[in-house]
Amino acid sequence: MPGLVHVTTTINGNQTDFLCEPRQSLLECLRDVVGMTGSKEGCNDGNCGACTVNLDGRIVTSCLVLGVEAQGAEVNTIEGVASAEGLHPIQQSFLENAALQCGICTPGFIVAAKALLEAEPDADEARIRHWLAGNLCRCTGYDKIVRAVIDAGERMRA
Amino acid sequence: MTTANQVLSEVEYEVVGKRPVRPDGVDKVTGRAQYGADLELTGLLHARVLRSPHAHARINSIDTSRAEALAGVRAVVTAADLPFAALSREDLSNDYNRFKFLSDNFLASDKALYRGHAVAAVAAENAHIAEAALDLIDVDYEVLEPVIDVRAAMQDGAPLLHDDLVHTSAMGEISDKPSNVASYMKFDKGDTAAGFANSDVIVEREFTTASVHQGYIEPHNATAHWRADGQINIWCSTQGAFVVRANTADVLRIDVSSVRVTPMEIGGGFGGKVTFYLEPVAALLSRKAGAPVKVLMSRTEVFEGSGPAPGSWMRVKMGADSAGKITAAEIELAFEAGAYPGSPVMQGATCAFACYELENGTVEGYDVVVNKPKTAAYRAPGSPQAAFGVEQVVDELCQKLGVDPVEFRLNNTVTEGSRKVEGPVFQKIGLVECLEAARNHEHYRSPLEGSNRGRGIAAGFWMNRGFHSSVNMTVNPDGTVNLIEGSVDIGGSRASIAQQAAETLGIAYDEIKPQVVDTDSIGFTMVTGGSRTTFATGWAAILAAEDVKQQMVQRAASIWDVPVEDVEYDGGEIRHKSEELSFTFKDLARQLYTTGGGITGTASLDPTGEGNSFGVHLVDVEVDPETGKTEVLRYTAIQDAGKAVHPSYVEGQIQGGAVQGIGWALNEEYYFGDNGQMMNSSFLDYRMPTSLDLPMIDTVIVEVANPGHPYGVRGVGEVPIVPPLAAVANAVGHATNQRLTSLPITPGSVLEATL
Ligand code: FES
Ligand code: FES
């Protein structure tokens, strides 16, 4: 199809090829082209964090990245956080701490928190609040999310 | 941190009151939960909506021909495609305005009444084509002067939104002259003038609050398929699938049985997804295109085209005697309804003085149309605005009298038997217990040190709702139970309903498998809203479980060949009085299919006795004298939950509501340009609280059992947004020695008041 670009990328460890229009965002490519709908759209302008993915080791709002920028990159999404062995400690901690209500913000928070805790498993409340300030949650008031991330850090250090 | 969240329990149960993991949790932490926007169907088309760029304009004509000619476009619709277009005033007679307003808010016919008002929609092979096609629709607008402020809209000579709005005069008489005042109400108790004459101190002030949005992170979305046989299937993000079914059928003038609504997982609602915007439009597009159609709102469309909570103006006057007793109180409230009548001013009016025992009181309310989106419910609709005024006036009375604000409230509190200004008498309520918990709380007892700091306290009320709910429960051969319900789960209600079912059956929580289903698959169930779901759908689950128990007892009696009266159900066991015969729930479940067939318990009910909610919030703030910025240092929210079925999710409701209230108090507002255009329709400019703006939100759950529910449950979702506006304003007032009477309390408004 004319006008489409062939992108070869790695998503959650698997080589993935897709065709997209140059104007399509990575979020749109993940959701509508590749069919991975775990990353959510809350604003499409970089202000809510629901679409957060990890791109080559950095968290990005995938609505502000073009699909073609994933060429040759490593993309890690919420779908890759749990493994065949089970949930990641952050996911377990979110469940046990009731850190989600509607859950629409949860994929973004988990991807963002994972990047923080992998680098700084002993991040304290202030650090966590600072790190997660790009992710909006309208349901929880953040209290239980922050507690869940502190708790997950403890689990990951254990 | 361990004492941050306390539960003051009167009664303990086996499952109710515990904190199990929610059944839908794993799907939500792994990205597998299916929200509306995630739906994919064979041959799915994508639609976008064209919206008015003007706040007030006559629509002379709409030409869609260029859009229809664009390659990839499959259908275009306007108001001409709605049944309303073909109906005359005579056809509709008394129903004319109601039906016109309903129809016009989906697609405007003669007038666009707010910027963002839907005027046309396009379905295309992909969303980019649909978007491009919107630019090719030619709308001939005659731009009119807008009115966006509630008081301006009430003035004589204000631009009129509706030429023929059935209206009432300021004195409550039906008048012939059109106005923007859609309704007026007045309640009286005792003799207010005499009460003021007997007071030693009087405080009277005016207050305003800005329009704010519910701010759910998931935008509205809907997918519809109008099948060749006339059946319409809808998948959407809604708080009430049966409301979508009823109103879609209504506006399309078809039978409700022709519409099946499947509620997808919902990414927040807070009342704003009781109203819906897209479903009938998607259905019309689908009929034209002969294929399923999905339509999504952008964030800007959510702000400009879906319901905010009303901006308001209020005048509050209260008097007290030197003994600290309130002698009289009056309030006048004018609420913006948005483009069509129906603000929650009635709820504001009935909540305003609900925390206070009044001998003399007067409440007046005005519902006023303005050129803003039609307001939608937002968590305890109307009550936060009223409390913003009343709780500040109470605080000022305390200052004038030199009394402690908790003692003053205890001295004037409502209790069982108190009668509200508009008539109803309270049943058993827990305001005293909440106030006592506040007085005893370490937060309240610890001194607040440091300059530019202030502590605020405020109380709040919400009536809660009962309404219809239905539950079916089927026993599986392995002893688990499928629980089928119609209540959309926004914040963990699958868990709290399953807990009540498990408690009633005397089996483990994870033996209950709850599922939310479509409107064809369960009996009538009203919205998830009004703080009713854990109360009413929980109660339906209790009754369905009782039905299961009864059938299990009958089955055991028939297996044992004994009279049914000699068999009893006791904590998950079915026993004969001889004590020699017994089944566990699992044992009997295993035998059901071979001893007469499976068992399904059902219940449909419309309970009253919902039990009112009260909350008391404490907040410490620091105000930067240089910048005027307010920082929340510490926050404690106390609330009577009756019985917290799942305390973590009750705390979550309290914390979430408190933080929305903090946002309402300090940051959030629709900011309008002169021509009625919203200037800040993104999350960057409409600034909701982030994790960085807040401390932990400490909670105390007080449990004063609601006698109207088997486990004493009261709704909890709404009242937590009521106190924070005033609590924050009181705290800022004490930090600055100024009364801040307009929301939001921005750095600019603080500087203006203090410099
Ligand atoms: S959707 Fe990407 S930041 Fe909101
Ligand atoms: S849980 Fe609903 S937005 Fe975070």
Side-chain angles (χ1 to χ4, degrees):
Chain A
M1 217 175 152
L4 294 185
V5 182
H6 178 189
V7 176
T8 300
T9 185
T10 304
I11 303 179
N12 300 326
N14 304 314
Q15 188 191 311
T16 308
D17 290 83
F18 61 82
L19 293 174
C20 69
E21 294 180 44
R23 66 176 168 184
Q24 285 184 291
S25 71
L26 176 58
L27 176 64
E28 204 184 328
C29 292
L30 286 170
R31 291 180 54 86
D32 298 347
V33 181
V34 182
M36 295 174 73
T37 56
S39 306
K40 302 302 179 191
E41 179 185 317
C43 67
N44 209 26
D45 58 13
N47 287 304
C48 78
C51 64
T52 303
V53 302
N54 196 307
L55 182 71
D56 284 336
R58 278 178 50 206
I59 54 167
V60 295
T61 47
S62 62
C63 67
L64 292 189
V65 175
L66 290 171
V68 294
E69 293 180 82
Q71 171 64 37
E74 298 243 357
V75 182
N76 283 291
T77 71
I78 185 64
E79 285 92 342
V81 176
S83 67
E85 281 78 60
L87 296 178
H88 187 280
I90 299 178
Q91 293 171 314
Q92 196 59 41
S93 175
F94 265 62
L95 288 181
E96 289 172 19
N97 286 281
L100 55 140
Q101 285 179 31
C102 79
I104 198 83
C105 68
T106 309
F109 272 99
I110 287 176
V111 171
K114 182 166 178 277
L116 172 65
L117 294 182
E118 279 170 355
E120 305 172 39
D122 54 356
D124 64 5
E125 183 191 335
R127 177 71 176 136
I128 291 167
R129 286 189 180 277
H130 195 267
W131 183 268
L132 296 178
N135 292 77
L136 292 177
C137 173
R138 191 59 157 174
C139 297
T140 64
Y142 304 100
D143 183 302
K144 292 190 188 301
I145 293 176
V146 173
R147 287 178 200 278
V149 177
I150 295 171
D151 179 32
E154 281 166 18
R155 289 171 198 236
M156 287 166 72
R157 292 201 301 273
Chain B
M1 243 160 57
T2 45
T3 59
N5 301 299
Q6 305 168 28
V7 185
L8 310 177
S9 286
E10 285 184 342
V11 194
E12 300 288 347
Y13 296 97
E14 290 294 322
V15 188
V16 165
K18 302 294 189 293
R19 302 174 187 245
V21 166
R22 59 198 282 174
D24 52 322
V26 169
D27 277 352
K28 285 182 177 157
V29 297
T30 54
R32 294 193 181 281
Q34 287 274 303
Y35 295 83
D38 304 336
L39 186 72
E40 187 53 56
L41 297 170
T42 299
L44 185 64
L45 301 176
H46 299 268
R48 290 292 182 267
V49 175
L50 180 70
R51 294 174 183 279
S52 168
H54 309 294
H56 195 187
R58 200 165 299 286
I59 299 171
N60 291 327
S61 65
I62 304 177
D63 181 352
T64 59
S65 54
R66 289 198 302 139
E68 277 154 18
L70 183 70
V73 168
R74 298 278 295 277
V76 183
V77 295
T78 66
D81 295 284
L82 281 163
F84 173 73
L87 294 167
S88 67
R89 232 172 230 285
E90 290 67 47
D91 293 333
L92 288 160
S93 80
N94 282 348
D95 199 31
Y96 182 83
N97 265 356
R98 185 202 69 85
F99 194 69
K100 180 180 198 296
F101 295 166
L102 174 75
S103 190
D104 276 2
N105 208 30
F106 289 114
L107 287 167
S109 59
D110 54 344
K111 268 175 114 183
L113 292 172
Y114 51 95
R115 178 191 165 104
H117 198 158
V119 296
V122 177
E125 277 153 27
N126 67 50
H128 296 285
I129 298 174
E131 229 151 346
L134 296 184
D135 292 339
L136 302 176
I137 298 175
D138 301 302
V139 186
D140 178 16
Y141 291 106
E142 178 191 336
V143 179
L144 305 170
E145 190 192 338
V147 59
I148 58 163
D149 174 77
V150 65
R151 273 166 304 167
M154 292 170 80
Q155 302 290 317
D156 273 346
L160 289 184
L161 274 77
H162 307 282
D163 304 331
D164 61 344
L165 183 63
V166 176
H167 63 278
T168 48
S169 76
M171 296 312 294
E173 299 140 357
I174 302 294
S175 142
D176 295 335
K177 199 168 151 237
S179 83
N180 292 318
V181 178
S183 64
Y184 167 77
M185 64 212 62
K186 183 172 185 184
F187 306 108
D188 257 321
K189 181 184 175 188
D191 182 339
T192 305
F196 281 122
N198 291 335
S199 61
D200 297 307
V201 284
I202 291 180
V203 175
E204 179 173 9
R205 282 192 184 273
E206 291 183 20
F207 300 90
T208 61
T209 71
S211 301
V212 295
H213 199 273
Q214 295 81 350
Y216 29 80
I217 304 298
E218 179 205 33
H220 294 268
N221 60 75
T223 303
H225 185 204
W226 197 315
R227 274 187 345 208
D229 61 3
Q231 172 73 33
I232 306 174
N233 291 330
I234 291 173
W235 300 260
C236 58
S237 174
T238 177
Q239 290 177 239
F242 283 88
V243 173
V244 175
R245 182 179 80 161
N247 287 2
T248 300
D250 186 4
V251 76
L252 297 178
R253 300 225 129 189
I254 52 176
D255 295 329
V256 283
S257 60
S258 302
V259 183
R260 183 180 64 154
V261 179
T262 304
M264 303 296 286
E265 294 297 338
I266 175 172
F270 316 109
K273 287 182 185 163
V274 168
T275 310
F276 64 103
Y277 307 90
L278 302 171
E279 287 75 350
V281 178
L284 290 172
L285 286 166
S286 173
R287 183 173 59 178
K288 268 199 179 173
V293 172
K294 174 154 84 176
V295 54
L296 309 179
M297 279 196 198
S298 68
R299 178 54 52 184
T300 296
E301 289 179 279
V302 172
F303 278 118
E304 295 189 341
S306 76
S312 68
W313 169 88
M314 291 161 291
R315 183 186 59 81
V316 184
K317 180 178 177 187
M318 295 178 79
D321 62 23
S322 54
K325 278 278 182 202
I326 299 170
T327 54
E330 66 182 32
I331 185 168
E332 233 184 306
L333 312 100
F335 275 23
E336 295 167 1
Y340 302 100
S343 78
V345 69
M346 173 66 118
Q347 292 95 312
T350 57
C351 291
F353 294 126
C355 294
Y356 300 97
E357 179 77 58
L358 289 185
E359 263 174 46
N360 309 300
T362 302
V363 175
E364 288 176 278
Y366 300 85
D367 184 38
V368 184
V369 293
V370 296
N371 292 111
K372 293 182 180 177
K374 171 159 174 26
T375 54
Y378 181 20
R379 226 171 185 151
S383 190
Q385 291 96 326
F388 174 65
V390 169
E391 291 296 299
Q392 282 207 79
V393 167
V394 166
D395 196 64
E396 214 174 330
L397 282 176
C398 296
Q399 284 177 309
K400 290 212 161 143
L401 290 164
V403 298
D404 175 89
V406 174
E407 296 304 333
F408 181 86
R409 286 175 173 85
L410 276 166
N411 200 16
N412 289 285
T413 184
V414 284
T415 54
E416 188 171 356
S418 299
R419 190 167 74 77
K420 295 174 71 192
V421 175
E422 78 282 8
V425 174
F426 283 115
Q427 309 290 314
K428 194 166 168 49
I429 48 173
L431 179 55
V432 170
E433 288 79 355
C434 288
L435 288 164
E436 284 171 348
R439 184 172 59 187
N440 298 336
H441 199 280
E442 184 268 329
H443 182 174
Y444 197 61
R445 290 150 64 116
S446 64
L448 179 63
E449 276 148 12
S451 48
N452 304 311
R453 292 183 168 190
R455 174 169 294 163
I457 184 165
F461 165 82
W462 184 247
M463 52 288 246
N464 294 336
R465 297 289 188 210
F467 293 154
H468 288 85
S469 283
S470 302
V471 164
N472 296 344
M473 283 167 62
T474 299
V475 182
N476 293 314
D478 60 1
T480 60
V481 174
N482 293 337
L483 188 162
I484 306 300
E485 49 159 323
S487 285
V488 175
D489 179 357
I490 316 189
S493 59
R494 285 181 186 88
S496 65
I497 289 159
Q499 283 176 274
Q500 295 177 69
E503 186 77 44
T504 308
L505 288 174
I507 65 177
Y509 163 78
D510 45 19
E511 308 275 353
I512 308 277
K513 314 285 181 193
Q515 237 190 100
V516 180
V517 296
D518 66 75
T519 51
D520 279 5
S521 309
I522 185 69
F524 182 59
T525 299
M526 270 298 286
V527 297
T528 295
S531 305
R532 63 172 289 280
T533 304
T534 296
F535 169 79
T537 308
W539 198 338
I542 293 168
L543 290 186
E546 293 292 352
D547 189 10
V548 166
K549 280 160 70 170
Q550 205 183 342
Q551 295 182 55
M552 295 287 267
V553 164
Q554 276 162 355
R555 184 62 56 86
S558 93
I559 292 172
W560 293 327
D561 200 14
V562 298
V564 73
E565 311 80 67
D566 293 348
V567 181
E568 61 166 17
Y569 191 105
D570 181 25
E573 284 199 22
I574 301 96
R575 265 189 241 125
H576 186 252
K577 68 171 181 193
S578 69
E579 296 196 354
E580 278 157 27
L581 297 167
S582 80
F583 282 124
T584 64
F585 190 85
K586 263 194 178 24
D587 289 341
L588 185 53
R590 201 172 299 125
Q591 300 184 29
L592 290 179
Y593 291 1
T594 54
T595 56
I599 284 179
T600 296
T602 68
S604 272
L605 80 167
D606 180 10
T608 53
E610 50 268 26
N612 308 134
S613 263
F614 290 89
V616 175
H617 291 199
L618 295 170
V619 58
D620 296 345
V621 304
E622 181 169 323
V623 179
D624 184 330
E626 304 281 309
T627 64
K629 183 173 187 294
T630 299
E631 198 189 331
V632 178
L633 303 173
R634 183 169 185 187
Y635 204 99
T636 303
I638 299 153
Q639 187 175 321
D640 174 21
K643 178 71 200 170
V645 177
H646 192 305
S648 297
Y649 288 111
V650 174
E651 290 155 8
Q653 290 296 316
I654 297 174
Q655 292 163 334
V659 166
Q660 285 181 317
I662 292 170
W664 196 337
L666 293 176
N667 305 328
E668 296 180 31
E669 77 179 298
Y670 272 51
Y671 187 81
F672 288 96
D674 290 342
N675 47 10
Q677 275 133 330
M678 184 181 184
M679 308 297 279
N680 59 335
S681 57
S682 78
F683 278 146
L684 183 64
D685 299 314
Y686 183 95
R687 180 73 164 66
M688 309 200 304
T690 72
S691 56
L692 198 52
D693 300 321
L694 298 160
M696 291 295 187
I697 307 296
D698 294 344
T699 62
V700 181
I701 298 173
V702 173
E703 293 188 342
V704 177
N706 171 18
H709 183 277
Y711 297 120
V713 171
R714 294 174 196 273
V716 298
E718 287 171 292
V719 82
I721 203 171
V722 180
L725 286 55
V728 169
N730 286 338
V732 174
H734 295 158
T736 60
N737 289 319
Q738 297 292 330
R739 277 282 149 201
L740 281 302
T741 55
S742 281
L743 289 187
I745 301 170
T746 59
S749 66
V750 169
L751 288 183
E752 210 169 284
T754 51
L755 289 183

